[in-house]
Amino acid sequence: MLILCSLCYGQQTDTLKKMMQDHLKLKGKNPVHSIQIYISKGIRIFNEAVGFADGRNEVAEKNNQFKIASITKTMTAVVILQMQEEGKLSIDDTISKYLNGVKFVRINELHYFKNQSYGNIITLIQLLQHKSGIADIFTDAAFRFYLYEYFHKNQEWNPEKLMNRYYKYGLNKDAHFVPDSGYYYSDVNYFLLGLIIEKLSGQTLAQQFRSRIFEPLNMNNTYFEYYEPMQGNAKMAHSFLGKRDITKTLNTSYDWAGGGIISTTSDLAVFINGLFEGALYKNDSTLKLMTTMAPHTLKSGRISYYGLGLYQYNFNGNIYYGHGGFWGSLVAYCPTKKITFCGSINQVNHNFNTSVFIESLLKYFNDTL
């Protein structure tokens, strides 16, 4: 019986791996060179990688590190909410209470809507929820920023340089709405939260991530790229934008508090499980606050649900909480089924439906393993 069960398990994991391999595309304008997937429920774990980590000849491994991009926002939100639990701040406070003395933030000039300044009334919770109306440096000024980036591939960024670029492009005068009257996803919201963390802690954001999240959870393959020394196994799954190998050719230190962390699927599983199992907050009410979702209608007509650094997803009729990242990453947890999903597809412009792919993996895992 034990041998039979082992054989069945091997066949089932082989099927999941084949489903991943079917989505590889090693040639063309938008090649998918590698995919990493981690799914767990209780003691059942599927953790595999397929393809080539460097897009050439390094076979992908399940513990390859990769750029997690905007999943970083969930970690930034965790630190802010931990600080609230400690009485260091209130998310209902205005950001001017903490950033008035930071000259390059220029609170009074930060947010103009219809020629009226609203920078002084923006609150921390509005930043967390993307309800400040602040414009985004990567979308509202995409052509200008990425043209600059193309000619300055090795530019080393920091928060001051990012905010200077925000003002250089006049984004402060392109706010989308009066604070708290809409939803608009902006990395600048999380740059400001990162600055508040540094101001109140007297430490770098990298030190705060490490002492509050990485070390307590033993996330040994996770680090804040460009802002602290490399940690872990140093085996990277490269990120691709079309044919361009971003990992090899571009300094992405501009992602900072909104997207700058390197991790693995296993470490991300440790993080999201720790978040939902009480390892990061003192009070259950803090997680409840973080997962309180509001529906937002996007320009595409799609409804998006966002809380405090977390999205709400629906896979196969089950609610998951987590976050995705620009370079092809996703972490999600289903509290009712206690299923954890972590994944990385190394191509930004892959030509298949990510949600359908994830749902097929989760359904097969849940039905067979």
Side-chain angles (χ1 to χ4, degrees):
M1 181 63 72
L2 180 61
I3 294 173
L4 179 61
C5 289
S6 297
L7 288 171
C8 291
Y9 180 80
Q11 292 169 355
Q12 291 158 347
T13 55
D14 286 347
T15 298
L16 280 169
K17 199 168 180 179
K18 175 67 164 52
M19 293 166 72
M20 294 164 61
Q21 289 168 334
D22 288 345
H23 287 78
L24 293 175
K25 183 183 178 185
L26 304 183
K27 296 181 180 180
K29 292 193 299 182
N30 299 305
V32 178
H33 292 296
S34 70
I35 299 174
Q36 294 165 249
I37 299 294
Y38 176 107
I39 311 173
S40 68
K41 182 178 182 181
I43 62 171
R44 296 182 296 153
I45 297 174
F46 172 80
N47 186 16
E48 293 289 348
V50 297
F52 296 94
D54 63 347
R56 294 177 180 274
N57 50 33
E58 290 181 15
V59 175
E61 299 179 16
K62 63 184 180 182
N63 285 320
N64 279 142
Q65 295 173 309
F66 53 87
K67 296 175 185 289
I68 72 169
S70 286
I71 296 172
T72 302
K73 290 181 174 69
T74 306
M75 299 181 185
T76 300
V78 164
V79 176
I80 288 288
L81 291 169
Q82 286 177 337
M83 286 182 154
Q84 174 166 269
E85 286 190 330
E86 296 159 4
K88 292 182 171 67
L89 58 79
S90 167
I91 60 173
D92 293 319
D93 289 338
T94 61
I95 63 172
S96 61
K97 180 176 178 179
Y98 306 107
L99 297 179
N100 243 344
V102 183
K103 291 183 179 179
F104 61 83
V105 172
R106 295 157 60 177
I107 286 289
N108 291 325
E109 303 171 56
L110 181 66
H111 178 300
Y112 279 95
F113 183 72
K114 295 184 177 179
N115 296 319
Q116 186 169 341
S117 173
Y118 291 95
N120 273 309
I121 69 166
I122 295 171
T123 62
L124 275 70
I125 192 170
Q126 290 163 6
L127 299 182
L128 288 163
Q129 296 174 321
H130 295 293
K131 294 182 70 176
S132 69
I134 290 173
D136 183 51
I137 194 171
F138 303 131
T139 52
D140 293 306
F143 179 79
R144 287 172 289 178
F145 182 83
Y146 291 114
L147 183 65
Y148 178 87
E149 167 266 313
Y150 183 82
F151 288 106
H152 301 83
K153 296 181 180 67
N154 296 316
Q155 165 81 57
E156 195 75 36
W157 295 89
N158 61 36
E160 183 171 359
K161 288 178 181 177
L162 285 165
M163 291 308 299
N164 287 344
R165 188 64 39 176
Y166 171 81
Y167 282 107
K168 182 178 178 65
Y169 296 150
L171 293 171
N172 61 315
K173 297 180 180 178
D174 289 335
H176 291 267
F177 46 78
V178 173
D180 210 35
S181 65
Y183 169 86
Y184 188 79
Y185 188 96
S186 173
D187 274 70
V188 179
N189 289 322
Y190 278 75
F191 296 164
L192 296 170
L193 290 168
L195 286 170
I196 290 170
I197 290 168
E198 292 195 334
K199 183 81 180 292
L200 290 179
S201 68
Q203 292 186 319
T204 65
L205 184 57
Q207 289 171 317
Q208 285 286 287
F209 280 147
R210 186 147 299 280
S211 64
R212 289 176 175 274
I213 301 174
F214 304 160
E215 289 180 352
L217 295 180
N218 294 314
M219 295 169 65
N220 298 320
N221 278 315
T222 302
Y223 65 97
F224 199 13
E225 190 180 22
Y226 300 105
Y227 296 93
E228 67 173 340
M230 185 170 56
Q231 307 280 326
N233 61 36
K235 295 181 178 181
M236 286 286 289
H238 294 208
S239 299
F240 286 82
L241 180 59
K243 290 186 176 182
R244 187 181 181 189
D245 185 337
I246 296 300
T247 302
K248 196 173 182 179
T249 63
L250 180 63
N251 183 317
T252 57
S253 53
Y254 56 76
D255 282 333
W256 198 52
I261 289 173
I262 297 289
S263 192
T264 65
T265 53
S266 297
D267 268 12
L268 287 178
V270 169
F271 168 67
I272 199 73
N273 288 340
L275 177 60
F276 279 87
E277 291 170 4
L280 293 173
Y281 295 138
K282 297 174 183 176
N283 307 314
D284 292 343
S285 58
T286 305
L287 181 60
K288 185 176 181 181
L289 178 66
M290 192 178 193
T291 55
T292 299
M293 298 284 155
H296 306 289
T297 304
L298 307 181
K299 287 183 178 179
S300 64
R302 184 172 64 87
I303 304 296
S304 175
Y305 291 85
Y306 203 85
L308 306 186
L310 285 173
Y311 278 105
Q312 177 180 300
Y313 302 100
N314 188 319
F315 296 129
N316 299 319
N318 296 311
I319 298 300
Y320 288 73
Y321 298 101
H323 215 293
F326 181 77
W327 303 116
S329 56
L330 178 73
V331 61
Y333 180 80
C334 177
T336 56
K337 300 289 186 180
K338 299 195 181 306
I339 298 174
T340 301
F341 178 91
C342 306
S344 176
I345 301 166
N346 80 337
Q347 173 58 253
V348 174
N349 296 323
H350 57 269
N351 63 353
F352 56 87
N353 186 305
T354 306
S355 293
V356 171
F357 176 52
I358 292 170
E359 287 192 320
S360 66
L361 293 170
L362 286 170
K363 186 176 189 308
Y364 187 82
F365 175 89
N366 205 40
D367 290 349
T368 61
L369 290 182

